[in-house]
């Protein structure tokens, strides 16, 4: 039988594979000459010329001047056309929706923030749409130039029903088939993902977990959350609730039954924001927020001797580290990760002083002893992860435009 275009081993498929390899090289390495691209992709220079002409015609690469000052002839440079696609990331909390738009290279070109409030599916679609349009306008784009949107939210979509769970504190978002509702209302593909999972994705791309296949990321702010990454992929569970450890029973906490409300459960009652603030106040460190009080305790560790501040700070951090270490020991015994990453405003406020103490207590309580590291992702890790997920999916589609 004759071979069809695009079948394994056919010229059409090989061209598509080479095209994608060239685009990946330009994405990761920046502008390159034709000989450099030929060498990286593993094709001849004439084939590289044909490939670059094809990618130029598809709008995926552009000429980028000349490379001079090197031995031999002056060579033309080619770069990825970052304007070939744009993606949107959104971080939703009970108070606000923060949106960023990035080009195909991952450069943020526009941002916008709006209050979250909304009580119906219509309100939610309208509010997200307004935030998206504001970010696009800030980047000099209209909505037709946007290819994909990923929403990070303090909850999890149940894959069986499409409804948002673990998010009673964010009204208006509990509609049937949330992703389809947003996709239809906004006119572009929309995915809704747990905010902590997106933070872990950002950590995998540009943080402590780069190159680590199996790790857990613990987030402590007002609430407590965890991302469990296995073989490089966030584990979501049967109902999307993997990592909702705030609801898990905890050593030293009363056993809670019938848990339904947000920010309840044994672990939350021990290491959630309200519990941390209460603990710090018990040791004399005050503040309106847990992160503020904890930062004051950390600062007091090196206070003048004889005041008692240092001793009280040490006691406060030791107790908090014990609670966090016990929580992590339960997870480590089940998952056996290669790494534990700490993030969220409370853990960031604790800094290296808290990290080192948590690692000590965890290693004292468990047989597996993974290193414990503070997040290295700056800015808003939820937005960074949302853009990463959107870019991954969009690049697969865009880089395949020349496929047969």
């Amino acid at each position: 039988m004759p071979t069809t275009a695009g079948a394994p081993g056919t010229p059409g498929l090989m061209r598509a594979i080479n095209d994608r390899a060239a685009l990946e090289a330009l994405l990761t390495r920046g502008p390159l000459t034709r000989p450099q691209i030929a060498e990286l992709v593993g094709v001849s220079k004439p084939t590289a010329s044909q490939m670059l002409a094809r990618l130029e015609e598809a709008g995926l690469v552009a000429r980028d001047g000349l490379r001079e000052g090197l031995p031999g002839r002056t060579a033309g440079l080619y770069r990825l056309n970052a304007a070939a696609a744009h993606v949107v990331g959104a971080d939703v909390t009970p108070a606000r929706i923060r949106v960023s738009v990035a080009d195909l290279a991952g450069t943020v070109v526009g941002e916008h923030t709006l209050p979250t409030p909304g009580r119906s599916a219509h309100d939610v679609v309208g509010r997200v749409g307004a935030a998206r349009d504001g970010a696009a306008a800030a980047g000099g784009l209209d909505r037709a130039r946007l290819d994909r949107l990923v929403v990070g939210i303090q909850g999890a979509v149940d894959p069986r029903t499409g409804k948002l769970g673990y998010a009673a504190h964010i009204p208006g978002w509990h509609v049937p088939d949330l992703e389809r509702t947003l996709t239809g209302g906004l006119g572009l593909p929309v995915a809704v993902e747990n905010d902590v999972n997106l933070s872990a994705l950002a950590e995998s791309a540009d943080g402590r977990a780069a190159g680590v296949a199996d790790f857990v990321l613990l987030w402590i702010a007002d609430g407590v959350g965890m991302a469990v990454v296995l073989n490089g992929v966030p584990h979501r569970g049967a109902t999307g609730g993997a990592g909702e450890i705030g609801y898990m029973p905890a050593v030293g906490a009363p056993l809670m039954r019938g848990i339904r409300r947000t920010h309840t459960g044994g672990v939350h009652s021990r290491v959630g924001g309200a519990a941390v603030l209460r603990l710090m106040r018990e040791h004399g460190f005050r503040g309106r927020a847990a992160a503020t009080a904890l930062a004051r305790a950390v600062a007091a560790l090196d206070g003048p001797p004889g005041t008692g501040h240092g001793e009280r700070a040490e006691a406060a951090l030791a107790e908090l580290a014990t609670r966090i270490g016990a929580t992590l020991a339960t997870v480590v015994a089940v998952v056996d990760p290669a790494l534990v990453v700490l993030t969220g405003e409370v853990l960031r406020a604790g800094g290296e002083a808290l990290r080192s103490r948590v690692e000590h207590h965890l290693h004292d309580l468990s047989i597996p002893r993974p290193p414990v590291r503070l997040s290295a992702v700056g800015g808003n890790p939820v937005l960074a992860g949302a853009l990463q997920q959107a870019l991954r999916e969009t690049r697969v589609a865009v880089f395949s435009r020349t496929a047969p």
Side-chain angles (χ1 to χ4, degrees), residues 127-403:
R127 211 67 181 156
V128 175
R132 170 205 60 185
D133 293 346
L141 304 168
D142 60 46
R143 65 178 66 170
R145 298 278 304 280
L146 306 177
D147 293 78
R148 189 176 302 269
L149 166 63
V150 173
V151 177
I153 196 165
Q154 298 171 357
V157 172
D158 188 331
R160 305 169 305 175
T161 65
K163 291 193 67 174
L164 185 69
Y166 304 94
H169 57 305
I170 307 181
W173 288 75
H174 307 91
V175 298
D177 212 338
L178 176 60
E179 291 184 338
R180 183 177 296 180
T181 298
L182 288 169
T183 295
L186 297 175
L188 79 168
V190 178
V192 179
E193 180 61 272
N194 174 261
D195 57 344
V196 183
N197 282 347
L198 291 178
S199 296
L201 184 58
E203 207 69 47
S204 292
D206 298 305
R208 300 292 187 193
V212 180
D214 300 322
F215 71 96
V216 296
L217 179 142
L218 176 64
W219 176 296
I220 300 180
D222 289 339
V224 183
M226 176 171 282
V228 179
V229 178
L230 303 175
N231 292 324
V233 179
H235 178 68
R236 296 176 177 86
T239 67
E244 293 289 349
I245 63 168
Y247 300 96
M248 190 168 67
V251 176
L255 193 61
M256 299 185 186
R257 301 182 186 274
I259 295 173
R260 292 292 182 270
R261 291 181 296 109
T262 302
H263 294 172
T264 59
V267 168
H268 181 79
S269 72
R270 297 289 284 168
V271 300
V276 173
L277 180 57
R278 187 164 53 249
L279 176 63
M280 293 301 111
R281 285 176 172 174
E282 288 172 357
H283 288 83
F285 301 102
R286 303 211 167 260
R288 290 188 176 182
T292 302
L294 177 55
R296 288 172 177 165
V298 172
L301 286 171
D302 298 322
T307 63
H309 294 332
E311 291 81 358
R312 287 189 285 109
E314 183 60 54
L317 263 69
E319 173 60 24
L320 180 57
T322 300
R323 295 180 184 185
I324 296 172
T327 299
L328 287 171
T330 305
V331 176
V332 165
V334 176
V335 179
D336 190 16
L339 174 70
V340 174
V341 179
L342 306 180
T343 191
E345 61 187 32
V346 169
L347 294 174
R348 288 177 180 273
E352 174 60 23
L354 181 60
R355 183 214 65 82
S356 61
R357 288 164 174 79
V358 168
E359 184 176 63
H360 169 77
H361 286 287
L362 171 61
H363 291 180
D364 202 34
L365 292 168
S366 64
I367 293 177
R369 294 179 175 179
V372 178
R373 298 290 180 262
L374 286 170
S375 170
V377 177
N380 184 322
V382 179
L383 266 182
L387 290 174
Q388 278 292 333
Q389 180 170 317
L391 282 167
R392 286 184 180 183
E393 296 166 351
T394 299
R395 285 168 182 163
V396 168
V398 171
F399 288 1
S400 301
R401 283 181 184 172
T402 63

Side-chain angles (χ1 to χ4, degrees), residues 21-227:
L23 291 168
E24 293 283 358
L26 291 169
L27 175 66
T28 57
R29 294 172 178 262
L32 297 168
T33 64
R34 177 177 61 90
Q36 288 175 319
I37 293 172
E39 182 179 355
L40 288 168
V41 177
V43 297
S44 67
K45 292 179 182 177
T47 299
S49 295
Q50 296 172 359
M51 177 174 61
L52 288 167
R54 186 165 58 247
L55 293 173
E56 266 194 287
E57 184 178 358
L60 298 178
V61 302
R63 296 178 187 266
D64 196 48
L66 300 174
R67 174 161 292 173
E68 299 176 337
L70 296 175
R73 297 170 57 187
T74 299
L77 285 167
Y78 293 84
R79 62 173 171 81
L80 177 73
N81 179 17
H86 293 85
V87 299
V88 188
D91 175 22
V92 176
T93 72
R96 54 103 183 111
I97 301 173
R98 183 167 295 158
V99 173
S100 293
V101 173
D103 63 22
L104 193 58
T107 301
V108 174
V109 299
E111 297 180 305
H112 195 65
T113 302
L114 282 178
T116 295
R119 296 282 174 178
S120 68
H122 177 76
D123 293 337
V124 166
V125 171
R127 211 67 181 156
V128 175
R132 170 205 60 185
D133 293 346
L141 304 168
D142 60 46
R143 65 178 66 170
R145 298 278 304 280
L146 306 177
D147 293 78
R148 189 176 302 269
L149 166 63
V150 173
V151 177
I153 196 165
Q154 298 171 357
V157 172
D158 188 331
R160 305 169 305 175
T161 65
K163 291 193 67 174
L164 185 69
Y166 304 94
H169 57 305
I170 307 181
W173 288 75
H174 307 91
V175 298
D177 212 338
L178 176 60
E179 291 184 338
R180 183 177 296 180
T181 298
L182 288 169
T183 295
L186 297 175
L188 79 168
V190 178
V192 179
E193 180 61 272
N194 174 261
D195 57 344
V196 183
N197 282 347
L198 291 178
S199 296
L201 184 58
E203 207 69 47
S204 292
D206 298 305
R208 300 292 187 193
V212 180
D214 300 322
F215 71 96
V216 296
L217 179 142
L218 176 64
W219 176 296
I220 300 180
D222 289 339
V224 183
M226 176 171 282

